[in-house]
Amino acid sequence: MNPATTEFLRQRFTEYYRKAVLVAPSSLEQREWGFVLFNPGAADMRMRRHIGFSGRDEMTGYIQNLIPQHTYYSTAYYEKPDAGTMADKGWCGADLIFDLDADHIVRGPYDQMLARVKEETQKLLDMLLIEFGMDKKKIELVFSGGRGYHVHVKDLAFRSWGSQERRELIDYICGIGIDPAAMLAGKAPSTPGWQNRYRETLTEYLRWLLAIPPEDAMAHLTAIDGIGKDSATTFLKNCGELITMIETRPSSMIAKNRVLGIIVSQQDGEFKKRLLTRAALADEPVTTDTKRLIRMPTSLHGGSGMRVQSLELRDLEKFDPLVDAVVFGTRDVKVNLNFNLKMPMLGSTYELQKGITTVPEAVAVFLCARGAAEIA
Amino acid sequence: MDYSPSAKELSHFPFLKKAQDHIKKSFPPLDQLLKEEKGAFLVELAVKRINQALASKKTIAAHFQTRDDEEIASYVLARIIVSCVQDKQLYDRLARYEAERAYYFLNAETGSESEQGWNPHAVLDDDQNSRIANYLAAEFRIDLAKDRMPLADYVEIVSVLHEDRFKLVNRRVQNGQVGIKKEELLELLRERIRVILRRDLPYHVPKSLCAQLAPVTESIKCEYQQQMLQQFGAIEESAFPPCMQALITALTAGTNLTHAGRFALTTFVHTVGMDVPAIAQLYARSPDFDPEKTMYQVEHITGRGGSGTEYTAPACAAMRTTGLCVNRDAICENTNHPLSYYRYKKRELAKRPNKSEKNEPSPAKPEKVGVPGIKNR
């Protein structure tokens, strides 16, 4: 990013922070803050952290004065948030956080990544509400300003939890550590949960095996370590019966069928892949880290120029980050684009050619912040 | 509730607040009691309790030879004594032992055909739970009449357990409630008792009182160190089970260990007596060694980090689940824990002639390789 581009972004950010109503997190005075500044020419990002504020005015004043490129606060609550080392801060709890980042899920055009990560977010929210029985009012859903969503759960029940306890929840969400025998024990419950997801996946997988050409099914099975031609043939013959067994008496079906046992315990196999489409692929380390910094809602994301935007759970479906989290306007700005690009924003789709071109300010901010263009 | 536990019931669950209230009037103040013959007798009982906690084979008798108030007093004294010894592992062992006792007594209350229970007149409810069992469980926020438990309570209990069946993902979870089988409720209760008894240790014991108890605490310290030395003593890498050898080989070869692999190896070498810098050195064999990160992880796993939780090495079953159980040999066949393998093999090696330098008291301390740092993001 050249100095002119940096200056352009800094000015746009200044304009935003001058007018924006910044929303302080709860227990503001117990949070640690961290900022990354616009710093043209610097080789790497340096974060200013270990900062604490005594109140909302101080926080707002600081941000308006500094115009940070990125703004974070701690998910943790501290006795002394501004202490220089983690040990001196006096940890007294942390919000429960789930991070859904398209980077970990799918690659592709920006708008497609956003759509895909929204699905994962919806699955996560369903698990939190229906299975974990969490209180809607204690869940804050935030568009990260980048490629995903953050879910902040501010419930005292989890606040004092360490990493191990949080790991139980994230493993559940991501479907990690599933024991096949436990999944198939007893009758299928009438409510959603892993037992049902598992049985659905197994049925789906077996039906798929029956639906594809037999030679493909054979090839698929025999490619798995430990499954020979004969056992594959027998297995295919019994597939239909197995599907019925999932409904009627699933409990010992894995113990009794060696091939099935191999299939379900295969690490990156077809079955596992299908099973994990039913998980919500949240980023595990974020949830288990009790001293994490997270982007401040209402701040701007320095890598996109979009707003870190809180939204109501019920609004997720119709939320369009490329409209709803865009804060800049439509005045013309000339940029020099690094490559050809097609991108939707503010309801229009822009087909842009490499080189100098004129785009609305909001598009210019986005392209410059992402490093796809410089100010011309 | 109009039910009040009997003295006998309290003596079997001496950690109940009511139990300690019960003996308040029975004995003079502790500093005075310790000067009396009665005090010496109670200390003896307490030491027996601690030795039981340390013994590899524990025998728990449902019927006591002592009076109920003496039994309760010995529980309290044992906790005071270990608090004076100031050893974290000792707190762990005692808390685990007391929880195991309680679990045993809950199961042995009304007895079986072959053995009479300690509380034969216990009145059982429709779920076959006695009043003391319900009372005790309620104290620890567990409802024995239910086949489920609130999610947060459940997770707090099981997050330190390594068994797959207790993992939340393997449970029926609906609307914030976790399904539990009846027989598992008592297991969870045992774990909860352990955690809470452990959390309250050490007591803040006045120095003068510890001084009075010094002869006893000294002998326990000696005994315990002796035991640890026998069990583990100098670290003998050649006695490591094949799974741990494989992890070390992988490290040396520059393979990135999985989280489970690092966890297993770290907890294992920690338990056999490697100190934190030595463990970090072990990881220094790996080419992508990052001292700061390693120290952080090691300190976390060994309980010196923020959480204060000390983890134990996973058992063979858990190692199999995580795919870390490899190169099984003959000793493995009769082993269910990597640590038992180590203990056994080390004894065997020691029996062989021509092996010298066996009895060095502690591993040489290598230079500190890093400072536990801030976790950078």
Side-chain angles (χ1 to χ4, degrees), chain B residues 101-121:
Chain B
R101 275 175 74 94
Y103 179 71
Y104 176 80
F105 294 142
L106 284 170
N107 282 311
E109 201 175 350
T110 51
S112 58
E113 276 173 30
S114 57
E115 199 188 2
Q116 207 195 355
W118 60 270
N119 204 11
H121 306 299

Side-chain angles (χ1 to χ4, degrees), chain B residues 265-310:
Chain B
L265 183 60
T266 309
T267 47
F268 177 82
V269 294
H270 172 61
T271 318
V272 304
M274 238 186 233
D275 60 10
V276 172
I279 298 173
Q281 282 251 299
L282 190 66
Y283 282 98
R285 298 180 196 187
S286 151
D288 65 342
F289 174 61
D290 173 351
E292 208 163 281
K293 202 168 152 194
T294 303
M295 285 302 277
Y296 175 81
Q297 287 175 341
V298 171
E299 299 229 322
H300 180 77
I301 293 177
T302 56
R304 282 159 213 228
S307 71
T309 317
E310 232 179 298

Side-chain angles (χ1 to χ4, degrees), chain B residues 5-42:
Chain B
S6 68
K8 190 179 192 181
E9 287 169 334
L10 291 175
S11 71
H12 283 76
F13 306 105
F15 44 81
L16 286 171
K17 193 178 167 297
K18 268 224 159 72
Q20 284 155 53
D21 292 345
H22 175 73
I23 59 161
K24 265 195 188 127
K25 282 175 238 116
S26 314
F27 304 104
L30 204 48
D31 53 342
Q32 197 188 321
L33 176 65
L34 289 176
K35 290 179 195 141
E36 297 172 10
E37 211 173 304
K38 181 87 184 172
F41 172 69
L42 291 176

Side-chain angles (χ1 to χ4, degrees), chain B residues 107-168:
Chain B
N107 282 311
E109 201 175 350
T110 51
S112 58
E113 276 173 30
S114 57
E115 199 188 2
Q116 207 195 355
W118 60 270
N119 204 11
H121 306 299
V123 182
L124 302 183
D125 64 13
D126 295 346
D127 293 312
Q128 297 298 302
N129 292 313
S130 69
R131 289 198 289 185
I132 181 65
N134 283 317
Y135 176 87
L136 174 68
E139 287 277 294
F140 288 88
R141 286 199 292 140
I142 289 178
D143 187 345
L144 294 181
K146 293 221 171 98
D147 56 1
R148 58 184 189 274
M149 187 185 283
L151 175 88
D153 288 348
Y154 179 81
V155 168
E156 282 168 22
I157 296 175
V158 303
S159 63
V160 290
L161 302 175
H162 295 300
E163 281 175 81
D164 266 1
R165 67 186 165 116
F166 284 125
K167 270 193 77 70
L168 187 65

Side-chain angles (χ1 to χ4, degrees), chain A residues 259-333:
Chain A
V259 174
L260 189 61
I262 294 174
I263 289 168
V264 296
S265 51
Q266 211 195 354
Q267 271 318 307
D268 300 306
E270 179 69 26
F271 173 76
K272 192 75 180 282
K273 251 185 257 163
R274 286 169 183 261
L275 182 62
L276 290 186
T277 60
R278 288 162 167 89
L281 301 179
D283 193 18
E284 305 152 50
V286 176
T287 300
T288 55
D289 186 349
T290 58
K291 294 168 184 168
R292 194 104 180 164
L293 293 175
I294 194 146
R295 285 187 190 278
M296 174 202 189
T298 66
S299 71
L300 295 182
H301 188 305
S304 70
M306 291 204 280
R307 183 147 90 144
V308 183
Q309 176 80 46
S310 289
L311 56 144
E312 295 289 328
L313 303 191
R314 61 170 180 275
D315 292 339
L316 175 63
E317 204 191 321
K318 56 180 195 296
F319 180 77
D320 181 357
L322 293 165
V323 176
D324 301 322
V326 175
V327 296
F328 296 108
T330 51
R331 83 180 167 95
D332 286 348
V333 176

Side-chain angles (χ1 to χ4, degrees), chain A residues 86 130-133 161 164-165 168-169 171-172 176-179 183 185 187 189 191 194-195 289 292, chain B residues 151-152 155-156 158-160 164 166-177 309 311 374-375 377:
Chain A
M86 297 317 273
I130 299 167
E131 289 163 52
F132 291 175
W161 279 10
Q164 301 136 268
E165 288 90 352
E168 287 295 323
L169 298 190
D171 280 357
Y172 186 97
I176 296 171
I178 287 181
D179 172 21
M183 292 299 111
K187 271 197 288 188
T191 49
W194 276 109
Q195 282 199 328
D289 186 349
R292 194 104 180 164
Chain B
L151 175 88
V155 168
E156 282 168 22
V158 303
S159 63
V160 290
D164 266 1
F166 284 125
K167 270 193 77 70
L168 187 65
V169 73
N170 291 320
R171 292 277 149 177
R172 291 190 179 191
V173 184
Q174 179 56 27
N175 200 20
Q177 297 285 326
T309 317
Y311 299 84
I374 306 160
K375 194 165 21 158
R377 286 286 158 202

